[in-house]
Structures are given as structure tokens and as C-alpha cells.
Amino acid sequence: MIASEFVLGLVLRLFLQAHVSAGGFGLFSSDKVGYVGFRFASYIDDYMVLQREPAGAVIWGYGAPRATVTVTLCRDQEPIMKKVTSVKADSNTWTVVLDPMKPGGPYEVMAQQTLGRINFTQRVHDVLFGDVWLCSGQSNMKMTVSQVFNATAELSDTAAYQSVRILSVSSTQAQQELEDLAKVDLRWSKPTSKNLGHGNFTYMSAVCWLFGRFLYDALRYPVGLLSSSWNGTPIEAWSSRRSLEACGVPRSGSMPSDLQFGPSAHSVLWNAMIHPLRNMTLKGVIWYQGESNVNFNRDLYNCTFPLLIDDWRQTFHDGSQGQTERFFPFGFVQLSSYLFDEALDDGLPQIRWHQTADFGYVPNQRMPNTFMAASVDLCDRNSPFGSIHPRDKQTVAYGEKLIFQGPLPQKIELLADKGLLNLTYSQPIKVQRRDDKIFEVSCCSDHQCKWLPAPMDTFSTQSLALNITSCQDTPAALRYAWTPWPCEYKQCALYHPTSTLPAPPFLALITSPSPGYHSRTAK
């Protein structure tokens, strides 16, 4: 009997190891257990954060077809929850959804595979429950804490944030959607000066870290941060094929080397760096990208970006068996100022506009439950990483940007007999400095239009009059801060009076020349 059990065990091991060598269980294996066929998914590891209530955290991994897997959640070595499932024969994967948990920890997650009389066990320890955020984009999201202003002080301030856990996905690409991550640069870790300031544009994302740190200060419970970014990459690389097809994105196009030097092929980063995370229960996503689309498929960005948000939301909702909210919060940075070829002067303002689906604000009908950090006044002429990489990431990441954005005009009234445009704002405004060129009016005659400065005339706490006497023809549109470099650092013309929020750029049509006509901000 003993001999037969030994033979059965030996045959089972050989079968499973052969299956692993054929690529059946992905590329990660635990260094705690010698047997590699049974394992957690790559990002389920010591020190991780799982999503708190009201959602249930998803735990999954790989195993032997039709084996039974028991997942146990333990606190102080005492089991408090147990879930049982089986390994799917078609994918060799197993999945459980934990009951919703209150924030806190630490816990241990144990998974045991049983097939016949053969058991294998995997454990991850020091697991916390809190809010889990995914941070993605290109180089401005990739910048590390060592690259930002006040880096020394920021890197020394980690002891109080040991419940903010971080993970950084390796820069990899794939032609097909991967089921699991190929590798990570930084496994789930507690923050240290070393892993937060690990060189330039490596791990860990400064925007991601500062955002998570702010959340922890506000919420006082654990926060998990996953950084998955790549320098110089267009949105096409981060989008699924289905979303690109829905926007009619062409398969080929010119690839300027000055703003685009990472992978640009359709979906290659979605396949390798986002899709493998889809089973994770998330709280939300923050995004910092768009520079590489300033002169590449720019006119499609008002479709590709909103559809990326839609597609990521649906994918994570489905992958987590409905645990990730269908319309989870999605935040992004409206691009800052930078200097480049004058031929591209209109490209950056257009991308900023397209980031809002041409509404000029979020949330809107096309982009529900989104929030935006307006950063047009965070320019950095002297950045050692180029002006495209401003070092003020604290202002971008901190909390008032989550509550509301800078003031936008709610009503535009053309007073033709006085040569004025009167703007009524949705919020109080503070005119920090008079700028005779930051507002421009489009003057049209015989189907030809030109943009002319519209100097500030008078203003009050929530309204502003512009002088348009220079427009001898028909005023057709108005725009604000429509330039790659609208102002110097924190010196734009308009702000909210009780915060550091600048008025964001906008474009508005003036559809009637009649006095007293009320125009809405253009879509």
C-alpha cells in the first residue's frame, strides 16, 4: 500500500512538472515551496493589500486540473474564513472570492491543493485589507520619488506609512493577452527610501506613491498601490484591440522620435501589463499619459481615452466576478506645460481638451465618475529631465484635486454694442494677474477665421469681462490658455480663490452675435 501511494505521488509530480515545463502555469513560482505547479497568481504575495469591504477580494492561482483548492484566511494563526473551489481543467486556474473584510490586518492567506492523497500548500503573510489603486501611463507616471522636488525629505518620510504597500510591474510587452504577469520589478513591499527612490524612471512611481500617501493620511487605513507604466508610450499601446477598433484607429502612422520612444504597437502593453491584473479587485485607477499622442493620432484621443476608461472598467469588473465596481473612480492628470517645436503649438492644447472628451471638464456625460488634476501651471523650465517632466508631483497628487477642478465659465454673454464678452464662472475666481493674451477670440469673415487676443477688462468674484473690440468681424469662439506654455510656475491668470487650483483650458463656441446671447462651453 505504501509503495503504491509512493508511485502515485511520483507519477503525479512528474505529470505536473511536465505540465509546468510546457508553460501551463505561467512564469512565476514561489520561493517558499519547492513544488512549482501549484501557486498563487504572480501579484498575490507577502505584504500585499487586498480590497476592503464592501467588495470581496479575489484570490486566484494555478494548479493541477480538477484538484480541490481550499483557501483559508487566518488572523494570529486562527482561521477566520475558508473558501473551497476546484482547478478548471481548461485553464489550470482556480479562483475564490473572499467575504468582504473591514480595513486592517495583518492576515495570512493559505491555499492548499488536494488531489487524491497529495496535498500542496502555499502561504502569503502580512496581508492587509484596504483600498487598492492601479497607477498607469507614461514617463510622468514612471518618475520616481528621487526625481521630484524635496526628494530627500520625501524619501525620509516612510516610517509612518508602512501600511501603504507598493508593487511595480516590469516593462514588458506581448502580442496576445497574457493571463498573468511575466515579471515584476518590485514585489509587494513596505515603502523604504531605497524602493521609492530606485533610480530614474524605474520604480516606484512618485505620483502613485504621493497619491497613496495622501489617501492614507485622509483615510487612516491601508492602501495598496500598483504601478504599471512605460516611458514614451502612446495610448494605443495601453488599449485593447476592441477599443481601438471601435475608435477607428489606423494600424500604422508616423512615429516621431522626440515624444514617442517606447512601444507603440497596438495593445502590446495592455496585453502584458494591464490584462494580467484584471482579476484583481480594485478601488480605482489613476492615469498620467498623453504626451506621446500630441502628434500621433491626436484627433482620435477624444475617443481613445474615454473608451480606454470604459474598457478597463468593464474588464476589471468582469475579471473580478463583479467585485470591482463597474464605474470605479478613474483619475487623470491634464497635461502640464512643456517646450517643443513651434509646429506642434496647437497639439498640446488639443490633447488637453481631448482628455476631457472635448467637454473641458470632468465628470461629464461621456466620462462619468472621473476626476482630473489640472496641471497647466506646474511648468518646470529647469527640470534636469526636460521640461516635459516637471518635478512638482506633490501638487498633482494631493487631495484637493480629487474634490473639484478649477473654475470654468458657466455662461458666456456677448455684449456686441459694448465690444465685450462677459463670462460668468461656475465657481468663485481670483484674477492672480492680468494677462492680455491668455484669452483669445476667433473672428470670422467670409468663412475665414483668425484668433485675436481678448484682453481682460473688468472682473468680480465670479465674472470676468473681456475686451473684443479688436474683432471687427463676427466673434465665433473663445478659448483660454490654448498654448503649450500658458504661464510660469503657479502664475496663471485665473485660480480658485481658496485653493491652488488653476482655471483649466477651455474652448467655447459663440453661436450668435446678438447682444445678451448665452453660450455654453463648447463640446
Side-chain angles (χ1 to χ4, degrees):
M1 183 68 177
I2 295 176
S4 63
E5 289 183 358
F6 173 79
V7 171
L8 175 61
L10 179 62
V11 169
L12 181 60
R13 283 175 179 265
L14 290 173
F15 167 76
L16 292 174
Q17 288 171 346
H19 197 82
V20 172
S21 67
F25 295 134
L27 302 179
F28 269 81
S29 62
S30 172
D31 55 7
K32 302 183 184 69
V33 181
Y35 183 68
V36 297
F38 174 61
R39 66 171 180 87
F40 289 108
S42 59
Y43 55 80
I44 297 176
D45 208 345
D46 298 340
Y47 308 115
M48 77 177 302
V49 177
L50 295 173
Q51 182 59 39
R52 65 173 179 91
E53 62 182 5
V58 175
I59 304 292
W60 73 281
Y62 294 87
R66 300 183 180 87
T68 298
V69 175
T70 302
V71 176
T72 306
L73 184 68
C74 300
R75 180 77 182 264
D76 298 326
Q77 299 183 340
E78 291 294 325
I80 63 171
M81 187 190 308
K82 186 173 290 187
K83 299 289 181 178
V84 180
T85 188
S86 58
V87 180
K88 298 177 182 177
D90 58 341
S91 62
N92 306 317
T93 62
W94 53 268
T95 305
V96 300
V97 179
L98 301 182
D99 297 336
M101 293 289 295
K102 293 183 181 300
Y107 296 89
E108 180 184 71
V109 179
M110 179 178 69
Q112 184 178 64
Q113 174 182 274
T114 303
L115 187 60
R117 298 187 179 182
I118 307 300
N119 295 330
F120 297 104
T121 302
Q122 294 272 31
R123 291 181 173 87
V124 293
H125 72 271
D126 200 349
V127 174
L128 305 178
F129 285 86
D131 283 341
V132 182
W133 287 83
L134 172 61
C135 312
S136 188
Q138 55 182 112
S139 54
N140 270 303
M141 182 64 82
K142 193 80 169 176
M143 287 177 72
T144 63
V145 181
S146 61
Q147 295 177 267
V148 305
F149 286 147
N150 302 317
T152 301
E154 299 287 8
L155 291 173
S156 66
D157 187 23
T158 60
Y161 297 98
Q162 295 301 288
S163 292
V164 181
R165 307 290 175 81
I166 56 178
L167 177 148
S168 185
V169 176
S170 295
S171 297
T172 54
Q173 53 183 311
Q175 294 302 314
Q176 301 296 328
E177 293 178 341
L178 301 185
E179 296 304 305
D180 202 1
L181 295 173
K183 57 181 179 177
V184 297
D185 285 337
L186 178 68
R187 295 169 66 167
W188 278 109
S189 304
K190 297 179 180 180
T192 66
S193 59
K194 182 177 180 180
N195 59 30
L196 288 176
H198 186 79
N200 295 339
F201 302 106
T202 54
Y203 59 85
M204 174 63 181
S205 163
V207 171
C208 193
W209 163 251
L210 294 167
F211 174 79
R213 194 180 69 180
F214 165 79
L215 288 179
Y216 179 80
D217 285 340
L219 302 172
R220 308 309 298 177
Y221 58 69
V223 176
L225 303 170
L226 296 93
S227 177
S228 185
S229 304
W230 195 324
N231 299 4
T233 49
I235 197 170
E236 289 77 7
W238 296 102
S239 303
S240 70
R241 286 188 173 89
R242 60 183 167 271
S243 63
L244 295 175
E245 290 172 358
C247 288
V249 180
R251 277 286 178 180
S252 60
S254 59
M255 303 289 182
S257 59
D258 55 343
L259 299 177
Q260 195 175 97
F261 48 85
S264 59
H266 285 194
S267 308
V268 292
L269 304 185
W270 157 264
N271 292 339
M273 299 176 67
I274 301 299
H275 185 267
L277 302 171
R278 72 199 183 285
N279 296 342
M280 177 180 292
T281 309
L282 292 180
K283 175 64 176 180
V285 170
I286 60 171
W287 172 261
Y288 198 155
Q289 190 277 335
E291 299 92 338
S292 289
N293 286 97
V294 166
N295 54 357
F296 178 67
N297 290 335
R298 178 180 62 234
D299 293 341
L300 293 174
Y301 203 87
N302 58 359
C303 179
T304 51
F305 182 44
L307 208 56
L308 176 142
I309 297 173
D310 292 346
D311 190 58
W312 284 28
R313 283 172 166 167
Q314 187 68 61
T315 298
F316 278 92
H317 178 74
D318 293 344
S320 65
Q321 301 185 31
Q323 298 304 308
T324 297
E325 290 184 8
R326 174 64 183 85
F327 294 97
F328 61 72
F330 195 108
F332 64 94
V333 181
Q334 190 177 46
L335 296 185
S336 186
S337 304
Y338 59 95
L339 303 171
F340 51 79
D341 193 310
E342 290 183 2
L344 303 176
D345 272 1
D346 199 45
L348 183 56
Q350 285 191 39
I351 283 291
R352 291 186 187 124
W353 186 245
H354 292 336
Q355 285 182 293
T356 67
D358 297 354
F359 281 84
Y361 59 89
V362 296
N364 56 51
Q365 301 95 298
R366 182 63 189 84
M367 301 171 69
N369 206 25
T370 56
F371 57 94
M372 178 178 77
S375 65
V376 293
D377 66 335
L378 300 182
C379 52
D380 190 352
R381 287 184 183 273
N382 301 316
S383 172
F385 316 106
S387 65
I388 196 171
H389 298 122
R391 288 166 290 175
D392 184 352
K393 294 297 189 276
Q394 292 88 340
T395 303
V396 165
Y398 285 172
E400 64 183 355
K401 300 295 174 99
L402 308 184
I403 302 169
F404 60 90
Q405 62 186 27
L408 275 167
Q410 192 174 45
K411 181 175 68 174
I412 298 176
E413 186 178 12
L414 176 60
L415 307 175
D417 55 335
K418 297 181 180 180
L420 295 176
L421 274 179
N422 193 62
L423 281 58
T424 302
Y425 277 80
S426 58
Q427 301 171 20
I429 59 170
K430 177 180 71 175
V431 177
Q432 178 161 288
R433 65 182 183 86
R434 287 182 176 271
D435 187 325
D436 290 342
K437 296 181 179 179
I438 200 164
F439 284 98
E440 296 173 292
V441 63
S442 177
C443 294
C444 300
S445 176
D446 298 327
H447 305 291
Q448 291 187 342
C449 300
K450 58 183 177 180
W451 290 100
L452 297 175
M456 299 181 187
D457 191 278
T458 59
F459 57 88
S460 64
T461 56
Q462 211 158 336
S463 65
L464 175 68
L466 304 176
N467 186 323
I468 59 168
T469 55
S470 62
C471 180
Q472 301 299 313
D473 300 310
T474 303
L478 178 70
R479 65 188 188 185
Y480 172 78
W482 206 265
T483 172
W485 198 279
C487 59
E488 294 305 314
Y489 181 72
K490 294 191 176 181
Q491 293 297 316
C492 273
L494 296 179
Y495 285 84
H496 187 277
T498 61
S499 76
T500 61
L501 288 166
F506 73 83
L507 174 67
L509 299 179
I510 304 170
T511 55
S512 169
S514 302
Y517 175 77
H518 294 182
S519 172
R520 297 175 60 189
T521 302
K523 180 181 181 302

